[in-house]
Amino acid sequence: YQKRWVKLDADYLRYFDSEKDAYSKRFIPVSSIARVAGVGDQKFEVITNNRNFVFRAESDADRNEWIRTLQQIAEERKSKALERTLVSPTANGAADPADKSGFLELRGFKHKLFVAVAGDKVFLYKNAEDYRLGIGITYIEMNVGNVKEVDRRGFDLTTPYRIFSFFAESDQEKEEWVEAMQQSIAEALSNSEVAERIWAVESNRFCADCGSPKPDWASINLCVVICKRCAGEHRGLGPGITKVRSLKMDRKVWTEELIELFHQIGNAVANQFWAANVPPSEAIAPTSGSQERRRFLIAKYREGKYRRYHPLFGNQEELDRALCAAVTTSDLAETQALLFCGAAVSCATGDPQCPTPLALAEKSGQRLQMEFLLHNKTSGKGWLGWWVTSGWPERAGLPSTILCRAEFSRRWCTLQDGVLSYYENDRNAVPNGEIKVEEIVCLLCPTTRGRPGSPFTPSCRIESTFEVYIESERLYLFGLETPNPVREWLKSIAKSFVHPRAEELLALDFERIGRLHYKGGLNLERAKEGWFALAGSALHVCFEDSERQEPLQLRKLQELCACPCPSAGRPHPPRLGGTLGRVTLYIQGERKLDFLGWVHAIQKAAGSSGDTLSEQQLTESDVPLLVDRCIDYITQCGLTSEGIYRKSGQNSKTTSLLEMLRRDARSVRLKEGEHQVDDVANTLKRFFRDLGDGLFTGQWGQDWLRATALEDEEAKIGEYRRLLGTLPTVNRATLKALINHLFRVQRFSGENQMNTHNLAIVFGPTLFQTDGKDYKAGRVVEDLINHYVKIFNVNDQEMKKQQDEIMAIMKMREAASSGMQQAGDFICTVYLEEKKTEAEQHVKIPATMTAEELTFEILDRRKIVMKEKDYWSCFEVNEREEA
């Protein structure tokens, strides 16, 4: 007998050289213990299926305690045999199958050891037979591990307690081991909170497909929890069928609604539908191989072979009608059955107020139905079929083409004499096909995540691709194994088809480049051809007349809409209209395929892309449009509202309004009567409190707070001005706009009861994102309001303009409340064709009057009869005479 320190936990019986050692000399999985028996004085025997271990305790009392405890655990394991069954005949004592296993040399051992990387642990065994039995030397928990390559075949696994120096048989083998161990570290460091909550439901503790315990992956649209091996096969089905996410690593995906959805549906309800008729001979087990799993999952989810058919299956109209009814209830199982038996997720409801099932669910307050529909928005007709299409489904606003890596054909390509040719291989003289560069209308650049406007689903795309659109409404997708050659190909093709006058666009890191027709300026009769390149949130344009244009900053657009453009009575091709400052540009498409991609890409680039100020939609003066909308509304409707900013609005309305403004502030119009002042004020406060990096930024926030300690007032103002200059442009502009607004609000403190101090109490913690205990945050805001003119260098003319605006707003509101005139009416001078006294008309313009109505008003006054081909336009001209 050798004296050893022995430990027993929930999974293993282990013994060590001493109690100080972190790594054992041997471990025995508790699940492999068949029985425990006493064998004489102080001795007991642990009997496994293949081997017996004899231990001697220090006393009979100790021995009896060990026997009792081991027997109790062994019995518990037998009663939970399904949960603790080893996952394969080559079980390694881990709850997961081995991600990588094989022989490695380990410094300090004479013979090679059998090593297995499984889940978040690395297991060491004397030989392959011990690995098969599950009885090993020790295991290393990878949450404390770090892998480092040492030489050509060697690498170190470093922990705080020991360095394990391994040697592989080849350099390639070494790289595979290092990669497997790095993935194990990532899994060990992942968050288990979501997994534990999902596993709270009994059926979710085992893989929905093979029954493996503790599955830590899921299909979020099918609402099934699956093991790692099944997750790999799910990915092969494509995201149009199953959207795979990790319970531990994809933390942001797991909203409260989605977790609740997995509690309500989960494996039990889902399998009542998907696995209602599985023959025992076709079912898979934890030990099944990849080929068996793939076959089973294709039959189960792609073909729907085992599903429980809905009684309405085959009757599309009835299925859609039943879906519209089901989503207004809490019956998620019915919605699941209808949807996956052919009901269209975006079918017409017949209700103009709620045109889709999603809208019906929202109106009915069915949050979980909404969540389920959102994750299945690519499902519907034809869902159980799987094909590659190059067309544009009538039901979709954007292309639904899906192309997987396996569906690419390897071709040898050349670009020569204005022709892009592709061959079977580099020895063939005759090409399989060719594209003339003059036929190319658009190129979409490579990405690993998918680009806005790309019809290819990102997770289906080969890693490095580019897309070529041609005039005949065809799309070609090319892919390479690495990104750098793709960029070279893209630049070469672009140089071949882009007009020389637009060559400057080639220097950009563009996402999309091509030619489109446009109308702009004062001449809207004839569409001209222009070259467009989208780079980030900027749209670069080279017009037909070669006039150089500043790039259009899409986040600063005043208006963006897909619309009919003014024309002389001709049919309308699809168009996109945008207004930036004094420029209005209509972009016109002649080919649906590439133009809808442009529309989607521009709309995405023009939207907010994150939670920091610089990522928001902006006004011309660099203030987030969301902030501008709220300030403008409160200035017009809430300056005299008692307790403005102190009172809280309704939480649900604030949340809804903030979400709409964040999604697209440009499309939101705040209207009196429709929106409440306190809800809008609360929305503005919450935006600043949730702002990424804050208004004062993490880098400079503390400096602002320290400035309050300066006793000399002029020195303090000087420091504030210095700090203002250090802020990013958007933060500086936003701070000025907000303090200007609060300066106005406190001017009406007699009516609204919100003086400078009260506003500072509210906005200090909000802007500095603190808990309100630090009084210095309020002091900063109070100082900024009190010294607004000096700190922000506001001149007399600007102050007078602000005062005039406030007076005008107050007069309009007084007039509106007294019924003297409609709020918003004003007198405007309109000139007919030229700016001359005899051509002017003074017109009273209500707030609701359109440009078309104004044009007809003027023509009617001048008794001008419109002829069939007459073309009239109306332009607003500013004080600098810019139209």
Side-chain angles (χ1 to χ4, degrees):
Y1 289 95
Q2 293 179 333
K3 195 165 188 177
R4 296 283 184 258
W5 180 259
V6 183
K7 285 183 182 178
L8 174 65
D9 59 31
D11 296 307
Y12 301 102
L13 176 66
R14 295 179 290 167
Y15 56 82
F16 303 76
D17 277 337
S18 74
E19 61 183 297
K20 295 179 181 179
D21 286 353
Y23 297 108
S24 62
K25 301 285 287 183
R26 175 74 73 177
F27 67 79
I28 306 162
V30 172
S31 55
S32 70
I33 298 175
R35 63 190 181 89
V36 184
V39 289
D41 293 344
Q42 301 175 13
K43 290 185 287 187
F44 64 93
E45 189 174 30
V46 175
I47 302 163
T48 70
N49 295 330
N50 304 88
R51 194 173 299 178
N52 298 349
F53 298 85
V54 179
F55 295 87
R56 187 173 71 189
E58 293 184 342
S59 67
D60 284 342
D62 277 353
R63 180 199 65 172
N64 294 339
E65 180 66 19
W66 274 103
I67 292 174
R68 187 188 64 76
T69 304
L70 283 165
Q71 284 176 336
Q72 180 180 346
I73 288 182
E75 287 301 318
E76 287 176 1
R77 288 309 174 92
K78 284 178 183 176
S79 66
K80 296 182 179 179
L82 176 61
E83 185 175 357
R84 295 299 180 181
T85 298
L86 295 176
V87 295
S88 70
T90 56
N92 49 29
D96 294 322
D99 301 307
K100 170 84 177 158
S101 62
F103 287 98
L104 286 173
E105 295 176 34
L106 177 60
R107 185 176 294 158
F109 285 80
K110 292 181 181 179
H111 303 288
K112 288 184 179 180
L113 299 183
F114 195 91
V115 181
V117 181
D120 58 359
K121 296 181 180 67
V122 172
F123 295 83
L124 306 183
Y125 302 86
K126 283 186 177 180
N127 50 50
E129 176 65 15
D130 279 5
Y131 168 66
R132 189 182 70 79
L133 298 174
I135 298 172
I137 299 170
T138 192
Y139 62 83
I140 304 152
E141 294 187 343
M142 297 298 274
N143 61 333
V144 295
N146 183 42
V147 186
K148 179 182 176 184
E149 297 187 41
V150 178
D151 54 34
R152 202 168 64 85
R153 294 192 305 114
F155 62 95
D156 287 348
L157 173 54
T158 305
T159 74
Y161 318 106
R162 179 177 170 182
I163 297 176
F164 297 85
S165 297
F166 293 104
F167 297 90
E169 290 186 355
S170 67
D171 188 43
Q172 183 179 346
E173 269 283 296
K174 179 197 75 173
E175 289 180 4
E176 291 176 6
W177 278 105
V178 169
E179 183 181 356
M181 290 189 184
Q182 286 173 338
Q183 289 178 352
S184 179
I185 291 170
E187 187 165 335
L189 296 176
S190 59
N191 193 327
S192 298
E193 179 191 349
V194 170
E196 295 295 342
R197 292 180 65 186
I198 296 290
W199 293 339
V201 176
E202 178 71 25
S203 64
N204 292 343
R205 296 176 194 167
F206 306 95
C207 175
D209 298 324
C210 74
S212 292
K214 290 193 173 180
D216 53 5
W217 292 81
S219 170
I220 59 173
N221 63 311
L222 301 176
C223 293
V224 292
V225 190
I226 52 180
C227 68
K228 188 175 183 178
R229 295 181 73 189
C230 286
E233 301 304 329
H234 268 255
R235 285 197 192 92
L237 298 176
I241 291 179
T242 173
K243 299 172 184 175
V244 182
R245 298 292 185 271
S246 170
L247 298 186
K248 295 182 177 179
M249 292 179 280
D250 295 323
R251 184 65 186 88
K252 290 184 178 179
V253 157
W254 294 98
T255 60
E256 286 300 317
E257 287 79 7
L258 185 55
I259 292 172
E260 194 175 339
L261 194 60
F262 270 73
H263 285 174
Q264 295 292 323
I265 298 181
N267 290 356
V269 175
N271 272 341
Q272 285 172 12
F273 173 76
W274 288 110
N277 303 294
V278 180
S281 60
E282 294 184 24
I284 58 172
T287 57
S288 298
S290 297
Q291 198 169 349
E292 286 180 274
R293 289 175 196 270
R294 191 176 307 120
R295 172 195 54 75
F296 177 76
L297 296 179
I298 287 172
K300 183 178 180 181
Y301 296 114
R302 183 185 289 181
E303 298 170 2
K305 183 178 178 180
Y306 314 122
R307 61 186 159 155
R308 176 176 55 80
Y309 284 90
H310 195 279
L312 298 176
F313 180 78
N315 188 333
Q316 189 63 53
E317 189 176 334
E318 290 298 322
L319 282 169
D320 292 349
R321 188 177 295 118
L323 178 65
C324 292
V327 297
T328 63
T329 72
S330 59
D331 193 346
L332 291 161
E334 175 71 359
T335 300
Q336 177 194 46
L338 288 164
L339 196 59
F340 296 127
C341 279
V345 71
S346 56
C347 64
T349 63
D351 182 352
Q353 299 298 318
C354 301
T356 64
L358 182 62
L360 284 174
E362 184 176 15
K363 182 181 179 182
S364 304
Q366 296 295 335
R367 294 181 305 110
L368 299 187
Q369 293 278 13
M370 290 173 63
E371 189 75 12
F372 187 67
L373 292 172
L374 283 168
H375 287 297
N376 282 286
K377 59 187 176 184
T378 55
S379 304
K381 289 184 181 177
W383 190 87
L384 293 168
W386 191 244
W387 59 86
V388 177
T389 172
S390 59
W392 294 77
E394 289 301 318
R395 293 189 299 119
L398 285 169
S400 62
T401 308
I402 300 170
L403 201 57
C404 299
R405 180 182 292 271
E407 293 163 320
F408 276 79
S409 300
R410 195 173 183 86
R411 295 289 181 263
W412 179 260
C413 299
T414 64
L415 178 63
Q416 191 172 6
D417 299 326
V419 179
L420 177 61
S421 306
Y422 47 96
Y423 301 79
E424 192 70 33
N425 55 55
D426 58 350
R427 296 184 299 278
N428 281 33
V430 180
N432 288 27
E434 57 185 29
I435 305 167
K436 294 178 180 177
V437 293
E438 64 262 25
E439 295 177 348
I440 298 174
V441 294
C442 180
L443 289 178
L444 181 60
C445 88
T447 176
T448 56
R449 295 174 300 170
R451 291 284 184 190
S454 167
F456 294 96
T457 309
S459 55
C460 279
R461 292 163 63 112
I462 198 168
E463 185 170 321
S464 301
T465 65
F466 63 90
E467 296 163 23
V468 179
Y469 297 77
I470 65 173
E471 288 178 337
S472 59
E473 293 273 8
R474 292 192 67 183
L475 166 58
Y476 294 84
L477 180 64
F478 294 87
L480 286 93
E481 293 170 355
T482 54
N484 289 339
V486 171
R487 176 57 68 176
E488 292 174 17
W489 270 100
L490 195 74
K491 290 285 187 180
S492 298
I493 297 171
K495 191 172 182 180
S496 300
F497 93 95
V498 171
H499 195 279
R501 71 169 180 267
E503 278 188 345
E504 62 192 59
L505 300 179
L506 300 177
L508 301 170
D509 185 21
F510 56 81
E511 301 166 16
R512 179 182 283 268
I513 189 170
R515 54 186 165 96
L516 293 164
H517 287 83
Y518 69 92
K519 294 181 180 183
L522 300 178
N523 183 10
L524 298 178
E525 291 198 56
R526 185 178 71 86
K528 301 177 182 179
E529 186 178 79
W531 291 88
F532 294 75
L534 182 63
S537 61
L539 183 64
H540 300 256
V541 187
C542 282
F543 291 142
E544 189 178 79
D545 52 15
S546 297
E547 182 185 343
R548 188 178 180 84
Q549 293 288 326
E550 288 295 317
L552 301 177
Q553 299 301 328
L554 296 176
R555 289 207 186 113
K556 290 188 177 184
L557 286 178
Q558 292 178 10
E559 187 175 357
L560 177 67
C561 59
C563 60
C565 169
S567 68
R570 291 182 296 275
H572 300 315
R575 293 177 174 86
L576 184 71
T579 304
L580 175 64
R582 62 181 187 274
V583 178
T584 299
L585 185 68
Y586 295 95
I587 302 173
Q588 178 176 316
E590 295 184 353
R591 296 157 301 274
K592 190 175 183 181
L593 186 63
D594 71 290
F595 183 70
L596 288 183
W598 274 106
V599 171
H600 182 60
I602 290 173
Q603 286 175 334
K604 191 171 182 69
S608 298
S609 61
D611 63 355
T612 63
L613 281 174
S614 60
E615 294 172 307
Q616 308 301 311
Q617 294 172 326
L618 302 172
T619 65
E620 263 197 290
S621 54
D622 290 311
V623 176
L625 200 53
L626 182 154
V627 174
D628 186 70
R629 286 273 196 268
C630 293
I631 286 177
D632 185 55
Y633 177 82
I634 292 169
T635 300
Q636 292 192 49
C637 307
L639 286 179
T640 58
S641 176
E642 186 176 339
I644 181 70
Y645 290 118
R646 188 181 69 243
K647 290 182 179 178
S648 295
Q650 290 187 32
N651 190 51
S652 60
K653 289 185 177 180
T654 298
T655 302
S656 175
L657 180 57
L658 183 57
E659 187 178 327
M660 285 194 299
L661 286 165
R662 277 181 171 154
R663 188 164 54 242
D664 185 13
R666 195 178 294 112
S667 65
V668 178
R669 296 289 184 268
L670 300 176
K671 298 178 182 177
E672 191 173 10
E674 201 172 302
H675 299 92
Q676 300 303 312
V677 168
D678 290 331
D679 294 335
V680 177
N682 214 30
T683 299
L684 184 64
K685 288 190 295 181
R686 190 179 296 181
F687 170 76
F688 281 115
R689 177 167 284 282
D690 297 344
L691 197 60
D693 200 36
L695 178 59
F696 293 98
T697 74
Q699 181 181 0
W700 299 105
Q702 291 302 313
D703 289 16
W704 284 88
L705 295 175
R706 281 192 287 269
T708 60
L710 295 172
E711 295 181 3
D712 183 77
E713 207 67 15
E714 288 302 317
K716 187 193 296 185
I717 291 171
E719 177 65 2
Y720 283 141
R721 293 186 66 169
R722 185 191 70 80
L723 290 170
L724 187 65
T726 65
L727 292 178
T729 302
V730 177
N731 295 58
R732 188 163 58 249
T734 306
L735 181 59
K736 181 177 180 180
L738 178 64
I739 299 302
N740 171 31
H741 171 62
L742 299 181
F743 182 77
R744 294 182 182 196
V745 171
Q746 59 87 31
R747 296 280 292 273
F748 290 86
S749 59
E751 291 91 340
N752 60 36
Q753 307 300 310
M754 292 300 289
N755 58 28
T756 303
H757 182 68
N758 291 341
L759 289 170
I761 290 173
V762 172
F763 273 93
T766 298
L767 299 184
F768 283 93
Q769 300 175 333
T770 64
D771 56 9
K773 294 178 181 178
D774 190 345
Y775 72 93
K776 292 193 288 291
R779 281 288 304 277
V780 171
V781 176
E782 191 166 356
D783 287 342
L784 291 176
I785 298 173
N786 285 333
H787 303 292
Y788 163 67
V789 175
K790 284 187 176 181
I791 294 172
F792 294 94
N793 199 24
V794 181
N795 58 38
D796 292 341
Q797 186 179 354
E798 196 173 345
M799 283 298 294
K800 184 178 184 307
K801 183 180 178 183
Q802 292 177 14
Q803 188 62 36
D804 290 345
E805 286 175 4
I806 293 173
M807 293 304 296
I809 289 169
M810 298 311 296
K811 284 180 181 179
M812 286 170 59
R813 293 191 64 77
E814 287 172 11
S817 61
S818 64
M820 290 172 60
Q821 67 171 40
Q822 182 181 336
D825 290 6
F826 66 97
I827 306 298
C828 181
T829 301
V830 180
Y831 294 93
L832 182 65
E833 295 191 306
E834 53 187 340
K835 189 178 179 183
K836 292 183 178 178
T837 305
E838 58 269 23
E840 71 180 22
Q841 293 283 327
H842 300 289
V843 184
K844 179 180 175 183
I845 301 181
T848 57
M849 178 177 271
T850 65
E852 183 182 26
E853 290 169 343
L854 177 58
T855 303
F856 280 120
E857 170 85 10
I858 297 297
L859 294 177
D860 188 53
R861 286 190 181 198
R862 299 303 294 264
K863 296 183 170 50
I864 296 174
V865 179
M866 282 194 67
K867 297 176 184 177
E868 185 179 348
K869 292 186 178 180
D870 278 359
Y871 189 93
W872 291 93
S873 298
C874 178
F875 298 91
E876 183 178 355
V877 181
N878 66 15
E879 59 190 7
R880 298 189 298 275
E881 298 196 358
E882 296 168 329

